[in-house]
Amino acid sequence: MTMDRYVITGKQRLEGSIRTSGAKNASLPLMAAAILADGKTGLQGIPHLTDILCMGEVLKSLGCKTQFSSNELTIDSSSLNDCIVDEALMRKMRASNLILGPMLARNGRVKISRPGGCAIGTRPMDQHIKGLQELGVRVEERHGYIEATAGKLRGGDVYLDIPSVGATENIMMAAVLTEGTTIIRNAAREPEIVDLQNLLNKMGARIRGAGTHVLRIDGVAKLKSTEHTVIPDRIEAGTHMVAAVMTGGDILVENVIPEHISPIIAKLRQGGAEVTPYGDSVRVRQKGQFKALEIKTLVYPGFPTDMQPQFLALLTIADGTSIVSETIFENRFQHVAELRRMGARITVEGRTAIINGRPNLEGAFVEATDLRAGAALFLAALAAEEGTVLERIDHIDRGYEDLKEKYRALGAKIQRVVKQ
């Protein structure tokens, strides 16, 4: 694992254009779905991130062959020959649990340890397991492992207690090769679900309803290999938009789907930023001080929890008192202590943060505790007076591709230092 750091000199006005990479949170389920097609699946626009490389290792450990160059990933699942994933691989990344559904559909058996990932709160797998059991899967949990087996998967009527993205994806992928029809009620509505439906339907699946709360999957006998381009990363796009505001800049964010980031656009406009969509680009300009906001994270299409830390960083330099309520993860204010080191005035009460804005942040030594906390501290460093040293940027590498190069092109003063 890299223990590199960023050294950032703040107060540089950022301007120019920046291209958003493919969506990490869409790429991972697409990669898992490649298990379902016997042959080569070609995925374009896949970002070069540590999470993507980790999922590639998971697929290789099952016998798949992968080739990855210039954001094009080919996965050949015809040599799939195992159903047990190494515990060390599972612990690296939460999304590795997405192989559950496709492995059950393809092989009828899979054994994984409970997955790892960012320490931002409990993300139980009970909805995944409950949904798979409705399709005829037998699940045993012992010694930290989940072992799932299925003789013949059957269609079922699944109701999710909460609209879990991962559970929706896993059940979709398990259901495509079943006999009969599966209905998923209270399904997650995220754009990543729609992207997965689009890939699976290209393979020959019969799914409709993605983007709504009810999904209908009519099982088919087999799926064929295909090619697909992943959607742009809405959280990365949002992060760039906040960077424009925090540096009083003017940035054209390219390769975005504006409909996917409408709550981000709305909140930036509410605070006084000028946000103008142009087809698949969005221009963000900021003059003067941003105004305080009230933000509450919600499941899609509400305000995304993955943008909460970045907006919290922005609100530390806003005019007035802001309130941020986190309803998704119970441990998602780990960036607050680090922002306070930079002079931010933030009080946390339970799942609510109260931010008293001030004109300037101060450079400091800070450390990323998770992926989006790292993004928040990166943004704070861009806006801060003097220099900031940001440690543990391996967290940032999990979700942001070529960050140093992209921001240098906008005028940021940033160095990546390899820690000895």
Side-chain angles (χ1 to χ4, degrees):
M1 178 190 291
T2 175
M3 297 298 278
D4 297 0
R5 54 172 64 151
Y6 280 140
V7 179
I8 300 165
T9 304
K11 289 292 180 189
Q12 309 300 312
R13 183 175 185 267
L14 301 186
E15 53 186 326
S17 60
I18 188 167
R19 185 172 176 81
T20 307
S21 297
K24 172 184 84 99
N25 289 340
S27 298
L28 295 166
L30 298 182
M31 291 172 71
I35 290 170
L36 293 162
D38 193 6
K40 290 183 180 178
T41 300
L43 300 174
Q44 282 87 41
I46 303 296
H48 206 274
L49 303 169
T50 49
D51 271 13
I52 299 293
L53 299 176
C54 182
M55 183 61 110
E57 290 300 314
V58 169
L59 294 175
K60 280 192 259 189
S61 76
L62 297 169
C64 297
K65 295 189 179 80
T66 68
Q67 279 187 303
F68 192 19
S69 66
S70 304
N71 302 116
E72 290 196 15
L73 175 62
T74 304
I75 301 166
D76 186 349
S77 67
S78 55
S79 53
L80 186 115
N81 58 13
D82 204 348
C83 60
I84 301 172
V85 180
D86 179 66
E87 182 179 4
L89 280 176
M90 291 297 299
R91 285 190 176 278
K92 282 185 187 176
M93 185 187 58
R94 168 112 201 134
S96 46
N97 65 12
L98 290 170
I99 65 155
L100 262 179
M103 282 297 292
L104 285 164
R106 168 91 185 254
N107 252 17
R109 180 169 181 263
V110 63
K111 183 179 179 181
I112 63 170
S113 69
R114 285 193 164 273
C118 277
I120 55 175
T122 55
R123 292 185 276 184
M125 288 194 58
D126 56 329
Q127 298 301 304
H128 301 245
I129 291 166
K130 187 182 88 164
L132 293 169
Q133 285 171 331
E134 287 288 338
L135 306 184
V137 176
R138 293 181 299 282
V139 180
E140 284 189 44
E141 294 186 74
R142 284 186 302 202
H143 310 299
Y145 276 87
I146 297 168
E147 189 162 2
T149 53
K152 202 164 199 177
L153 289 170
R154 59 171 190 269
D157 200 318
V158 178
Y159 176 81
L160 297 177
D161 296 329
I162 54 168
S164 158
V165 175
T168 302
E169 291 167 341
N170 249 329
I171 298 158
M172 278 172 78
M173 290 188 280
V176 287
L177 293 176
T178 59
E179 285 188 358
T181 297
T182 298
I183 307 288
I184 306 174
R185 304 182 194 278
N186 199 27
R189 297 167 57 187
E190 272 74 357
E192 294 78 12
I193 305 281
V194 180
D195 207 30
L196 178 59
Q197 171 181 280
N198 290 342
L199 170 68
L200 292 170
N201 283 348
K202 280 185 192 175
M203 289 176 166
R206 294 170 63 198
I207 309 170
R208 60 183 185 271
T212 75
H213 279 313
V214 181
L215 278 164
R216 179 188 172 100
I217 303 133
D218 296 315
V220 297
K222 64 176 184 175
L223 296 177
K224 62 182 187 292
S225 51
T226 189
E227 297 205 344
H228 182 76
T229 300
V230 68
I231 56 172
D233 195 310
R234 59 197 170 98
I235 304 304
E236 186 197 335
T239 303
H240 301 328
M241 292 163 72
V242 172
V245 177
M246 289 189 75
T247 63
D250 183 351
I251 297 177
L252 183 71
V253 185
E254 299 174 336
N255 190 35
V256 296
I257 299 172
E259 293 75 20
H260 292 175
I261 53 173
S262 51
I264 298 166
I265 292 172
K267 284 295 174 187
L268 288 178
R269 283 177 174 163
Q270 193 182 327
E274 187 182 316
V275 185
T276 315
Y278 298 96
D280 61 356
S281 299
V282 174
R283 184 180 182 185
V284 183
R285 283 187 286 189
Q286 178 65 27
K287 287 178 183 169
Q289 199 175 5
F290 195 75
K291 298 187 197 71
L293 296 173
E294 286 193 21
I295 289 174
K296 183 177 185 178
T297 63
L298 294 163
V299 296
Y300 190 86
F303 189 89
T305 179
D306 277 358
M307 280 302 301
Q308 178 262 101
Q310 298 91 309
F311 264 77
L312 198 147
L314 166 58
L315 296 172
T316 63
I317 56 170
D319 180 22
T321 300
S322 300
I323 298 171
V324 174
S325 304
E326 174 58 62
T327 73
I328 310 295
F329 293 121
E330 72 274 14
N331 197 20
R332 199 156 209 178
F333 285 130
Q334 294 182 69
H335 43 292
V336 166
E338 299 300 298
L339 287 169
R340 283 190 190 131
R341 292 168 69 90
M342 301 178 75
R345 297 180 294 203
I346 309 167
T347 308
V348 176
E349 296 173 7
R351 290 195 179 196
T352 302
I354 298 150
I355 306 104
N356 290 305
R358 51 175 296 178
N360 290 302
L361 293 172
E362 300 148 10
F365 277 80
V366 290
E367 184 176 303
T369 52
D370 60 74
L371 167 56
R372 306 305 173 186
L377 295 170
F378 177 81
L379 293 171
L382 293 172
E385 294 182 322
E386 300 175 337
T388 297
V389 177
L390 174 52
E391 305 268 13
R392 289 300 308 270
I393 61 174
D394 51 286
H395 286 298
I396 297 173
D397 291 340
R398 289 186 47 232
Y400 293 90
E401 183 179 43
D402 299 330
L403 202 60
K404 183 190 78 172
E405 291 77 9
K406 287 181 177 181
Y407 274 78
R408 272 188 167 172
L410 295 173
K413 289 188 177 175
I414 173 171
Q415 286 179 292
R416 184 175 183 130
V417 179
V418 179
K419 197 168 179 183
Q420 300 300 327

